[in-house]
PDB file of all heavy atoms in Angstrom:
ATOM      1  N   SER A   1     216.165 298.700 144.578  1.00 93.00           N
ATOM      2  CA  SER A   1     215.576 299.563 143.553  1.00 93.00           C
ATOM      3  C   SER A   1     214.968 298.712 142.449  1.00 93.00           C
ATOM      4  O   SER A   1     215.008 297.478 142.492  1.00 93.00           O
ATOM      5  CB  SER A   1     216.653 300.479 142.964  1.00 93.00           C
ATOM      6  OG  SER A   1     217.502 299.746 142.081  1.00 93.00           O
ATOM      7  N   ASN A   2     214.422 299.375 141.425  1.00 94.00           N
ATOM      8  CA  ASN A   2     213.867 298.643 140.274  1.00 94.00           C
ATOM      9  C   ASN A   2     214.793 298.702 139.068  1.00 94.00           C
ATOM     10  O   ASN A   2     214.342 298.609 137.934  1.00 94.00           O
ATOM     11  CB  ASN A   2     212.471 299.148 139.918  1.00 94.00           C
ATOM     12  CG  ASN A   2     212.451 300.636 139.566  1.00 94.00           C
ATOM     13  OD1 ASN A   2     213.480 301.245 139.259  1.00 94.00           O
ATOM     14  ND2 ASN A   2     211.270 301.231 139.598  1.00 94.00           N
ATOM     15  N   SER A   3     216.101 298.833 139.319  1.00 94.00           N
ATOM     16  CA  SER A   3     217.077 298.736 138.232  1.00 94.00           C
ATOM     17  C   SER A   3     217.066 297.323 137.660  1.00 94.00           C
ATOM     18  O   SER A   3     216.522 296.397 138.275  1.00 94.00           O
ATOM     19  CB  SER A   3     218.478 299.081 138.735  1.00 94.00           C
ATOM     20  OG  SER A   3     218.954 298.064 139.606  1.00 94.00           O
ATOM     21  N   GLU A   4     217.683 297.136 136.499  1.00 95.00           N
ATOM     22  CA  GLU A   4     217.658 295.823 135.868  1.00 95.00           C
ATOM     23  C   GLU A   4     218.379 294.783 136.722  1.00 95.00           C
ATOM     24  O   GLU A   4     217.874 293.667 136.915  1.00 95.00           O
ATOM     25  CB  GLU A   4     218.281 295.886 134.470  1.00 95.00           C
ATOM     26  CG  GLU A   4     218.169 294.575 133.707  1.00 95.00           C
ATOM     27  CD  GLU A   4     218.562 294.705 132.246  1.00 95.00           C
ATOM     28  OE1 GLU A   4     219.254 295.673 131.883  1.00 95.00           O
ATOM     29  OE2 GLU A   4     218.165 293.822 131.451  1.00 95.00           O
ATOM     30  N   VAL A   5     219.545 295.126 137.256  1.00 94.00           N
ATOM     31  CA  VAL A   5     220.311 294.176 138.071  1.00 94.00           C
ATOM     32  C   VAL A   5     219.519 293.781 139.318  1.00 94.00           C
ATOM     33  O   VAL A   5     219.386 292.594 139.645  1.00 94.00           O
ATOM     34  CB  VAL A   5     221.676 294.779 138.461  1.00 94.00           C
ATOM     35  CG1 VAL A   5     222.378 293.882 139.475  1.00 94.00           C
ATOM     36  CG2 VAL A   5     222.549 294.964 137.237  1.00 94.00           C
ATOM     37  N   HIS A   6     218.992 294.772 140.017  1.00 95.00           N
ATOM     38  CA  HIS A   6     218.215 294.477 141.227  1.00 95.00           C
ATOM     39  C   HIS A   6     216.942 293.692 140.896  1.00 95.00           C
ATOM     40  O   HIS A   6     216.530 292.811 141.654  1.00 95.00           O
ATOM     41  CB  HIS A   6     217.843 295.777 141.933  1.00 95.00           C
ATOM     42  CG  HIS A   6     218.982 296.424 142.641  1.00 95.00           C
ATOM     43  ND1 HIS A   6     218.899 297.668 143.226  1.00 95.00           N
ATOM     44  CD2 HIS A   6     220.263 295.999 142.866  1.00 95.00           C
ATOM     45  CE1 HIS A   6     220.055 297.974 143.781  1.00 95.00           C
ATOM     46  NE2 HIS A   6     220.900 296.984 143.567  1.00 95.00           N
ATOM     47  N   SER A   7     216.328 294.009 139.767  1.00 95.00           N
ATOM     48  CA  SER A   7     215.082 293.323 139.393  1.00 95.00           C
ATOM     49  C   SER A   7     215.329 291.858 139.075  1.00 95.00           C
ATOM     50  O   SER A   7     214.506 290.994 139.413  1.00 95.00           O
ATOM     51  CB  SER A   7     214.438 294.025 138.196  1.00 95.00           C
ATOM     52  OG  SER A   7     214.067 295.352 138.521  1.00 95.00           O
ATOM     53  N   VAL A   8     216.455 291.547 138.420  1.00 96.00           N
ATOM     54  CA  VAL A   8     216.782 290.144 138.142  1.00 96.00           C
ATOM     55  C   VAL A   8     217.023 289.396 139.443  1.00 96.00           C
ATOM     56  O   VAL A   8     216.574 288.253 139.609  1.00 96.00           O
ATOM     57  CB  VAL A   8     218.003 290.041 137.209  1.00 96.00           C
ATOM     58  CG1 VAL A   8     218.458 288.584 137.070  1.00 96.00           C
ATOM     59  CG2 VAL A   8     217.684 290.610 135.825  1.00 96.00           C
ATOM     60  N   TRP A   9     217.700 290.026 140.385  1.00 95.00           N
ATOM     61  CA  TRP A   9     217.938 289.372 141.680  1.00 95.00           C
ATOM     62  C   TRP A   9     216.612 289.082 142.379  1.00 95.00           C
ATOM     63  O   TRP A   9     216.386 287.988 142.898  1.00 95.00           O
ATOM     64  CB  TRP A   9     218.816 290.261 142.562  1.00 95.00           C
ATOM     65  CG  TRP A   9     219.238 289.586 143.834  1.00 95.00           C
ATOM     66  CD1 TRP A   9     220.347 288.813 144.032  1.00 95.00           C
ATOM     67  CD2 TRP A   9     218.530 289.596 145.086  1.00 95.00           C
ATOM     68  NE1 TRP A   9     220.373 288.350 145.321  1.00 95.00           N
ATOM     69  CE2 TRP A   9     219.279 288.805 145.996  1.00 95.00           C
ATOM     70  CE3 TRP A   9     217.355 290.192 145.523  1.00 95.00           C
ATOM     71  CZ2 TRP A   9     218.884 288.607 147.310  1.00 95.00           C
ATOM     72  CZ3 TRP A   9     216.948 289.987 146.840  1.00 95.00           C
ATOM     73  CH2 TRP A   9     217.710 289.208 147.722  1.00 95.00           C
ATOM     74  N   LYS A  10     215.722 290.075 142.396  1.00 94.00           N
ATOM     75  CA  LYS A  10     214.418 289.874 143.041  1.00 94.00           C
ATOM     76  C   LYS A  10     213.618 288.788 142.331  1.00 94.00           C
ATOM     77  O   LYS A  10     212.925 287.993 142.972  1.00 94.00           O
ATOM     78  CB  LYS A  10     213.645 291.192 143.077  1.00 94.00           C
ATOM     79  CG  LYS A  10     214.174 292.178 144.100  1.00 94.00           C
ATOM     80  CD  LYS A  10     213.235 293.347 144.327  1.00 94.00           C
ATOM     81  CE  LYS A  10     213.336 294.386 143.272  1.00 94.00           C
ATOM     82  NZ  LYS A  10     212.549 295.618 143.613  1.00 94.00           N
ATOM     83  N   LEU A  11     213.702 288.760 140.991  1.00 95.00           N
ATOM     84  CA  LEU A  11     212.990 287.726 140.240  1.00 95.00           C
ATOM     85  C   LEU A  11     213.449 286.331 140.651  1.00 95.00           C
ATOM     86  O   LEU A  11     212.625 285.430 140.869  1.00 95.00           O
ATOM     87  CB  LEU A  11     213.217 287.924 138.739  1.00 95.00           C
ATOM     88  CG  LEU A  11     212.635 286.825 137.850  1.00 95.00           C
ATOM     89  CD1 LEU A  11     211.124 286.963 137.745  1.00 95.00           C
ATOM     90  CD2 LEU A  11     213.263 286.848 136.460  1.00 95.00           C
ATOM     91  N   GLU A  12     214.751 286.146 140.762  1.00 94.00           N
ATOM     92  CA  GLU A  12     215.272 284.825 141.121  1.00 94.00           C
ATOM     93  C   GLU A  12     214.795 284.409 142.512  1.00 94.00           C
ATOM     94  O   GLU A  12     214.409 283.252 142.722  1.00 94.00           O
ATOM     95  CB  GLU A  12     216.797 284.829 141.041  1.00 94.00           C
ATOM     96  CG  GLU A  12     217.329 284.958 139.610  1.00 94.00           C
ATOM     97  CD  GLU A  12     218.845 284.904 139.552  1.00 94.00           C
ATOM     98  OE1 GLU A  12     219.501 285.053 140.607  1.00 94.00           O
ATOM     99  OE2 GLU A  12     219.389 284.721 138.441  1.00 94.00           O
ATOM    100  N   LYS A  13     214.809 285.331 143.451  1.00 91.00           N
ATOM    101  CA  LYS A  13     214.334 285.008 144.801  1.00 91.00           C
ATOM    102  C   LYS A  13     212.839 284.726 144.811  1.00 91.00           C
ATOM    103  O   LYS A  13     212.356 283.824 145.499  1.00 91.00           O
ATOM    104  CB  LYS A  13     214.670 286.159 145.756  1.00 91.00           C
ATOM    105  CG  LYS A  13     216.158 286.361 145.965  1.00 91.00           C
ATOM    106  CD  LYS A  13     216.796 285.105 146.520  1.00 91.00           C
ATOM    107  CE  LYS A  13     218.295 285.247 146.665  1.00 91.00           C
ATOM    108  NZ  LYS A  13     218.940 283.981 147.132  1.00 91.00           N
ATOM    109  N   LEU A  14     212.111 285.510 144.033  1.00 92.00           N
ATOM    110  CA  LEU A  14     210.662 285.338 143.945  1.00 92.00           C
ATOM    111  C   LEU A  14     210.308 283.972 143.354  1.00 92.00           C
ATOM    112  O   LEU A  14     209.462 283.253 143.886  1.00 92.00           O
ATOM    113  CB  LEU A  14     210.104 286.473 143.097  1.00 92.00           C
ATOM    114  CG  LEU A  14     208.610 286.698 142.986  1.00 92.00           C
ATOM    115  CD1 LEU A  14     208.346 288.152 142.594  1.00 92.00           C
ATOM    116  CD2 LEU A  14     207.979 285.788 141.967  1.00 92.00           C
ATOM    117  N   MET A  15     210.974 283.604 142.268  1.00 92.00           N
ATOM    118  CA  MET A  15     210.680 282.319 141.632  1.00 92.00           C
ATOM    119  C   MET A  15     211.134 281.154 142.494  1.00 92.00           C
ATOM    120  O   MET A  15     210.544 280.065 142.457  1.00 92.00           O
ATOM    121  CB  MET A  15     211.325 282.264 140.244  1.00 92.00           C
ATOM    122  CG  MET A  15     210.772 283.298 139.280  1.00 92.00           C
ATOM    123  SD  MET A  15     211.438 283.187 137.589  1.00 92.00           S
ATOM    124  CE  MET A  15     210.467 281.814 136.922  1.00 92.00           C
ATOM    125  N   GLU A  16     212.170 281.375 143.285  1.00 90.00           N
ATOM    126  CA  GLU A  16     212.637 280.336 144.205  1.00 90.00           C
ATOM    127  C   GLU A  16     211.625 280.109 145.326  1.00 90.00           C
ATOM    128  O   GLU A  16     211.308 278.973 145.679  1.00 90.00           O
ATOM    129  CB  GLU A  16     213.993 280.762 144.777  1.00 90.00           C
ATOM    130  CG  GLU A  16     214.572 279.826 145.817  1.00 90.00           C
ATOM    131  CD  GLU A  16     215.865 280.360 146.393  1.00 90.00           C
ATOM    132  OE1 GLU A  16     216.719 280.836 145.622  1.00 90.00           O
ATOM    133  OE2 GLU A  16     216.015 280.327 147.633  1.00 90.00           O
ATOM    134  N   ARG A  17     211.095 281.201 145.874  1.00 88.00           N
ATOM    135  CA  ARG A  17     210.147 281.066 146.985  1.00 88.00           C
ATOM    136  C   ARG A  17     208.809 280.508 146.511  1.00 88.00           C
ATOM    137  O   ARG A  17     208.125 279.822 147.273  1.00 88.00           O
ATOM    138  CB  ARG A  17     209.963 282.411 147.677  1.00 88.00           C
ATOM    139  CG  ARG A  17     209.035 282.332 148.874  1.00 88.00           C
ATOM    140  CD  ARG A  17     209.277 283.432 149.881  1.00 88.00           C
ATOM    141  NE  ARG A  17     210.526 283.254 150.614  1.00 88.00           N
ATOM    142  CZ  ARG A  17     210.856 283.962 151.709  1.00 88.00           C
ATOM    143  NH1 ARG A  17     210.025 284.878 152.174  1.00 88.00           N
ATOM    144  NH2 ARG A  17     211.998 283.762 152.317  1.00 88.00           N
ATOM    145  N   HIS A  18     208.416 280.806 145.282  1.00 90.00           N
ATOM    146  CA  HIS A  18     207.151 280.290 144.740  1.00 90.00           C
ATOM    147  C   HIS A  18     207.428 279.195 143.692  1.00 90.00           C
ATOM    148  O   HIS A  18     206.724 279.105 142.694  1.00 90.00           O
ATOM    149  CB  HIS A  18     206.354 281.429 144.099  1.00 90.00           C
ATOM    150  CG  HIS A  18     205.844 282.439 145.073  1.00 90.00           C
ATOM    151  ND1 HIS A  18     204.722 282.237 145.840  1.00 90.00           N
ATOM    152  CD2 HIS A  18     206.314 283.665 145.411  1.00 90.00           C
ATOM    153  CE1 HIS A  18     204.513 283.301 146.604  1.00 90.00           C
ATOM    154  NE2 HIS A  18     205.462 284.180 146.361  1.00 90.00           N
ATOM    155  N   ARG A  19     208.403 278.381 143.945  1.00 90.00           N
ATOM    156  CA  ARG A  19     208.860 277.400 142.957  1.00 90.00           C
ATOM    157  C   ARG A  19     207.740 276.480 142.492  1.00 90.00           C
ATOM    158  O   ARG A  19     207.638 276.154 141.315  1.00 90.00           O
ATOM    159  CB  ARG A  19     210.010 276.570 143.529  1.00 90.00           C
ATOM    160  CG  ARG A  19     210.571 275.560 142.516  1.00 90.00           C
ATOM    161  CD  ARG A  19     211.764 274.814 143.067  1.00 90.00           C
ATOM    162  NE  ARG A  19     212.192 273.775 142.123  1.00 90.00           N
ATOM    163  CZ  ARG A  19     212.981 273.973 141.088  1.00 90.00           C
ATOM    164  NH1 ARG A  19     213.427 275.194 140.829  1.00 90.00           N
ATOM    165  NH2 ARG A  19     213.311 272.980 140.279  1.00 90.00           N
ATOM    166  N   ALA A  20     206.862 276.070 143.392  1.00 92.00           N
ATOM    167  CA  ALA A  20     205.785 275.146 143.019  1.00 92.00           C
ATOM    168  C   ALA A  20     204.926 275.722 141.903  1.00 92.00           C
ATOM    169  O   ALA A  20     204.512 275.000 140.988  1.00 92.00           O
ATOM    170  CB  ALA A  20     204.923 274.825 144.240  1.00 92.00           C
ATOM    171  N   VAL A  21     204.640 277.028 141.964  1.00 93.00           N
ATOM    172  CA  VAL A  21     203.832 277.661 140.915  1.00 93.00           C
ATOM    173  C   VAL A  21     204.540 277.560 139.569  1.00 93.00           C
ATOM    174  O   VAL A  21     203.926 277.212 138.545  1.00 93.00           O
ATOM    175  CB  VAL A  21     203.548 279.136 141.263  1.00 93.00           C
ATOM    176  CG1 VAL A  21     202.881 279.842 140.083  1.00 93.00           C
ATOM    177  CG2 VAL A  21     202.671 279.233 142.491  1.00 93.00           C
ATOM    178  N   PHE A  22     205.833 277.835 139.550  1.00 95.00           N
ATOM    179  CA  PHE A  22     206.550 277.857 138.281  1.00 95.00           C
ATOM    180  C   PHE A  22     206.829 276.448 137.753  1.00 95.00           C
ATOM    181  O   PHE A  22     206.968 276.260 136.547  1.00 95.00           O
ATOM    182  CB  PHE A  22     207.823 278.686 138.434  1.00 95.00           C
ATOM    183  CG  PHE A  22     207.526 280.128 138.734  1.00 95.00           C
ATOM    184  CD1 PHE A  22     207.671 280.632 140.016  1.00 95.00           C
ATOM    185  CD2 PHE A  22     207.029 280.962 137.741  1.00 95.00           C
ATOM    186  CE1 PHE A  22     207.357 281.951 140.300  1.00 95.00           C
ATOM    187  CE2 PHE A  22     206.705 282.282 138.014  1.00 95.00           C
ATOM    188  CZ  PHE A  22     206.876 282.777 139.297  1.00 95.00           C
ATOM    189  N   VAL A  23     206.884 275.470 138.647  1.00 94.00           N
ATOM    190  CA  VAL A  23     206.954 274.074 138.191  1.00 94.00           C
ATOM    191  C   VAL A  23     205.696 273.733 137.398  1.00 94.00           C
ATOM    192  O   VAL A  23     205.753 273.165 136.301  1.00 94.00           O
ATOM    193  CB  VAL A  23     207.120 273.117 139.391  1.00 94.00           C
ATOM    194  CG1 VAL A  23     206.850 271.669 138.972  1.00 94.00           C
ATOM    195  CG2 VAL A  23     208.518 273.232 139.979  1.00 94.00           C
ATOM    196  N   HIS A  24     204.545 274.075 137.930  1.00 95.00           N
ATOM    197  CA  HIS A  24     203.281 273.779 137.242  1.00 95.00           C
ATOM    198  C   HIS A  24     203.099 274.651 135.997  1.00 95.00           C
ATOM    199  O   HIS A  24     202.515 274.195 135.008  1.00 95.00           O
ATOM    200  CB  HIS A  24     202.102 273.968 138.200  1.00 95.00           C
ATOM    201  CG  HIS A  24     201.938 272.850 139.178  1.00 95.00           C
ATOM    202  ND1 HIS A  24     202.731 272.701 140.292  1.00 95.00           N
ATOM    203  CD2 HIS A  24     201.070 271.800 139.201  1.00 95.00           C
ATOM    204  CE1 HIS A  24     202.358 271.622 140.954  1.00 95.00           C
ATOM    205  NE2 HIS A  24     201.356 271.063 140.316  1.00 95.00           N
ATOM    206  N   LEU A  25     203.596 275.885 136.037  1.00 96.00           N
ATOM    207  CA  LEU A  25     203.494 276.753 134.863  1.00 96.00           C
ATOM    208  C   LEU A  25     204.361 276.210 133.732  1.00 96.00           C
ATOM    209  O   LEU A  25     203.952 276.206 132.562  1.00 96.00           O
ATOM    210  CB  LEU A  25     203.912 278.177 135.230  1.00 96.00           C
ATOM    211  CG  LEU A  25     203.640 279.265 134.194  1.00 96.00           C
ATOM    212  CD1 LEU A  25     202.153 279.351 133.876  1.00 96.00           C
ATOM    213  CD2 LEU A  25     204.160 280.615 134.691  1.00 96.00           C
ATOM    214  N   ALA A  26     205.556 275.738 134.055  1.00 95.00           N
ATOM    215  CA  ALA A  26     206.428 275.142 133.040  1.00 95.00           C
ATOM    216  C   ALA A  26     205.782 273.894 132.441  1.00 95.00           C
ATOM    217  O   ALA A  26     205.833 273.677 131.221  1.00 95.00           O
ATOM    218  CB  ALA A  26     207.779 274.792 133.664  1.00 95.00           C
ATOM    219  N   ASP A  27     205.161 273.086 133.280  1.00 94.00           N
ATOM    220  CA  ASP A  27     204.487 271.885 132.788  1.00 94.00           C
ATOM    221  C   ASP A  27     203.311 272.251 131.894  1.00 94.00           C
ATOM    222  O   ASP A  27     203.053 271.596 130.879  1.00 94.00           O
ATOM    223  CB  ASP A  27     204.014 271.052 133.985  1.00 94.00           C
ATOM    224  CG  ASP A  27     203.442 269.704 133.565  1.00 94.00           C
ATOM    225  OD1 ASP A  27     204.000 269.077 132.641  1.00 94.00           O
ATOM    226  OD2 ASP A  27     202.432 269.286 134.148  1.00 94.00           O
ATOM    227  N   PHE A  28     202.591 273.310 132.248  1.00 96.00           N
ATOM    228  CA  PHE A  28     201.464 273.773 131.453  1.00 96.00           C
ATOM    229  C   PHE A  28     201.920 274.169 130.051  1.00 96.00           C
ATOM    230  O   PHE A  28     201.307 273.792 129.049  1.00 96.00           O
ATOM    231  CB  PHE A  28     200.812 274.967 132.165  1.00 96.00           C
ATOM    232  CG  PHE A  28     199.634 275.558 131.445  1.00 96.00           C
ATOM    233  CD1 PHE A  28     198.354 275.073 131.670  1.00 96.00           C
ATOM    234  CD2 PHE A  28     199.796 276.609 130.551  1.00 96.00           C
ATOM    235  CE1 PHE A  28     197.255 275.619 131.010  1.00 96.00           C
ATOM    236  CE2 PHE A  28     198.711 277.160 129.894  1.00 96.00           C
ATOM    237  CZ  PHE A  28     197.438 276.667 130.120  1.00 96.00           C
ATOM    238  N   VAL A  29     203.018 274.908 129.963  1.00 95.00           N
ATOM    239  CA  VAL A  29     203.542 275.346 128.659  1.00 95.00           C
ATOM    240  C   VAL A  29     204.052 274.149 127.861  1.00 95.00           C
ATOM    241  O   VAL A  29     203.757 274.008 126.668  1.00 95.00           O
ATOM    242  CB  VAL A  29     204.664 276.381 128.847  1.00 95.00           C
ATOM    243  CG1 VAL A  29     205.323 276.718 127.514  1.00 95.00           C
ATOM    244  CG2 VAL A  29     204.111 277.645 129.491  1.00 95.00           C
ATOM    245  N   ALA A  30     204.795 273.270 128.516  1.00 93.00           N
ATOM    246  CA  ALA A  30     205.367 272.120 127.815  1.00 93.00           C
ATOM    247  C   ALA A  30     204.309 271.128 127.357  1.00 93.00           C
ATOM    248  O   ALA A  30     204.583 270.280 126.499  1.00 93.00           O
ATOM    249  CB  ALA A  30     206.374 271.414 128.728  1.00 93.00           C
ATOM    250  N   SER A  31     203.104 271.251 127.873  1.00 93.00           N
ATOM    251  CA  SER A  31     202.014 270.346 127.480  1.00 93.00           C
ATOM    252  C   SER A  31     201.288 270.811 126.224  1.00 93.00           C
ATOM    253  O   SER A  31     200.224 270.290 125.885  1.00 93.00           O
ATOM    254  CB  SER A  31     201.007 270.209 128.632  1.00 93.00           C
ATOM    255  OG  SER A  31     201.622 269.632 129.773  1.00 93.00           O
ATOM    256  N   GLY A  32     201.870 271.811 125.549  1.00 92.00           N
ATOM    257  CA  GLY A  32     201.310 272.242 124.270  1.00 92.00           C
ATOM    258  C   GLY A  32     200.458 273.483 124.334  1.00 92.00           C
ATOM    259  O   GLY A  32     199.743 273.803 123.379  1.00 92.00           O
ATOM    260  N   ASN A  33     200.509 274.209 125.448  1.00 95.00           N
ATOM    261  CA  ASN A  33     199.739 275.430 125.599  1.00 95.00           C
ATOM    262  C   ASN A  33     200.633 276.657 125.422  1.00 95.00           C
ATOM    263  O   ASN A  33     201.851 276.586 125.569  1.00 95.00           O
ATOM    264  CB  ASN A  33     199.085 275.463 126.985  1.00 95.00           C
ATOM    265  CG  ASN A  33     198.186 274.263 127.233  1.00 95.00           C
ATOM    266  OD1 ASN A  33     197.191 274.059 126.536  1.00 95.00           O
ATOM    267  ND2 ASN A  33     198.543 273.448 128.219  1.00 95.00           N
ATOM    268  N   ARG A  34     200.017 277.785 125.123  1.00 94.00           N
ATOM    269  CA  ARG A  34     200.756 279.032 124.908  1.00 94.00           C
ATOM    270  C   ARG A  34     200.577 279.938 126.121  1.00 94.00           C
ATOM    271  O   ARG A  34     199.506 279.965 126.740  1.00 94.00           O
ATOM    272  CB  ARG A  34     200.251 279.737 123.648  1.00 94.00           C
ATOM    273  CG  ARG A  34     200.956 281.050 123.325  1.00 94.00           C
ATOM    274  CD  ARG A  34     200.396 281.672 122.066  1.00 94.00           C
ATOM    275  NE  ARG A  34     200.713 280.861 120.906  1.00 94.00           N
ATOM    276  CZ  ARG A  34     201.855 280.932 120.231  1.00 94.00           C
ATOM    277  NH1 ARG A  34     202.786 281.782 120.609  1.00 94.00           N
ATOM    278  NH2 ARG A  34     202.051 280.180 119.176  1.00 94.00           N
ATOM    279  N   LEU A  35     201.638 280.695 126.452  1.00 96.00           N
ATOM    280  CA  LEU A  35     201.625 281.606 127.589  1.00 96.00           C
ATOM    281  C   LEU A  35     201.889 283.031 127.117  1.00 96.00           C
ATOM    282  O   LEU A  35     202.897 283.298 126.457  1.00 96.00           O
ATOM    283  CB  LEU A  35     202.686 281.184 128.614  1.00 96.00           C
ATOM    284  CG  LEU A  35     202.856 282.076 129.851  1.00 96.00           C
ATOM    285  CD1 LEU A  35     201.573 282.122 130.665  1.00 96.00           C
ATOM    286  CD2 LEU A  35     204.025 281.576 130.708  1.00 96.00           C
ATOM    287  N   GLU A  36     200.977 283.943 127.437  1.00 96.00           N
ATOM    288  CA  GLU A  36     201.123 285.358 127.103  1.00 96.00           C
ATOM    289  C   GLU A  36     201.148 286.134 128.421  1.00 96.00           C
ATOM    290  O   GLU A  36     200.250 285.980 129.254  1.00 96.00           O
ATOM    291  CB  GLU A  36     199.950 285.859 126.247  1.00 96.00           C
ATOM    292  CG  GLU A  36     199.572 284.964 125.078  1.00 96.00           C
ATOM    293  CD  GLU A  36     200.429 285.208 123.843  1.00 96.00           C
ATOM    294  OE1 GLU A  36     201.371 286.024 123.932  1.00 96.00           O
ATOM    295  OE2 GLU A  36     200.146 284.583 122.801  1.00 96.00           O
ATOM    296  N   ILE A  37     202.171 286.973 128.613  1.00 96.00           N
ATOM    297  CA  ILE A  37     202.354 287.689 129.875  1.00 96.00           C
ATOM    298  C   ILE A  37     202.291 289.190 129.626  1.00 96.00           C
ATOM    299  O   ILE A  37     203.085 289.736 128.852  1.00 96.00           O
ATOM    300  CB  ILE A  37     203.693 287.311 130.540  1.00 96.00           C
ATOM    301  CG1 ILE A  37     203.745 285.802 130.812  1.00 96.00           C
ATOM    302  CG2 ILE A  37     203.884 288.089 131.832  1.00 96.00           C
ATOM    303  CD1 ILE A  37     205.076 285.321 131.347  1.00 96.00           C
ATOM    304  N   LEU A  38     201.336 289.842 130.274  1.00 96.00           N
ATOM    305  CA  LEU A  38     201.189 291.295 130.201  1.00 96.00           C
ATOM    306  C   LEU A  38     201.846 291.948 131.408  1.00 96.00           C
ATOM    307  O   LEU A  38     201.873 291.373 132.496  1.00 96.00           O
ATOM    308  CB  LEU A  38     199.709 291.685 130.169  1.00 96.00           C
ATOM    309  CG  LEU A  38     198.875 291.214 128.976  1.00 96.00           C
ATOM    310  CD1 LEU A  38     197.400 291.498 129.233  1.00 96.00           C
ATOM    311  CD2 LEU A  38     199.325 291.899 127.706  1.00 96.00           C
ATOM    312  N   GLN A  39     202.372 293.158 131.214  1.00 95.00           N
ATOM    313  CA  GLN A  39     202.938 293.907 132.323  1.00 95.00           C
ATOM    314  C   GLN A  39     201.844 294.629 133.099  1.00 95.00           C
ATOM    315  O   GLN A  39     200.908 295.181 132.526  1.00 95.00           O
ATOM    316  CB  GLN A  39     203.935 294.961 131.813  1.00 95.00           C
ATOM    317  CG  GLN A  39     205.280 294.404 131.429  1.00 95.00           C
ATOM    318  CD  GLN A  39     206.208 295.461 130.863  1.00 95.00           C
ATOM    319  OE1 GLN A  39     207.135 295.149 130.122  1.00 95.00           O
ATOM    320  NE2 GLN A  39     205.968 296.716 131.183  1.00 95.00           N
TER     321      GLN A  39
END
């Protein structure tokens, strides 16, 4: 479902499977850039 508990679990699996993207996104932010996320 899209409950908070289930959504956090899905988020963790999603970020794990696409880890390379989030490695580069973290580096982008840490390099002095700002990140704005819309729903």
Side-chain angles (χ1 to χ4, degrees):
S1 75
N2 59 18
S3 70
E4 185 170 19
V5 172
H6 286 173
S7 297
V8 172
W9 187 89
K10 286 192 280 188
L11 174 75
E12 291 182 345
K13 294 301 177 184
L14 189 157
M15 296 184 79
E16 176 184 315
R17 182 156 289 192
H18 292 281
R19 182 176 175 84
V21 172
F22 296 103
V23 166
H24 283 77
L25 190 59
D27 187 39
F28 179 89
V29 173
S31 298
N33 302 298
R34 180 180 293 275
L35 177 62
E36 313 276 4
I37 301 175
L38 297 171
Q39 282 177 204

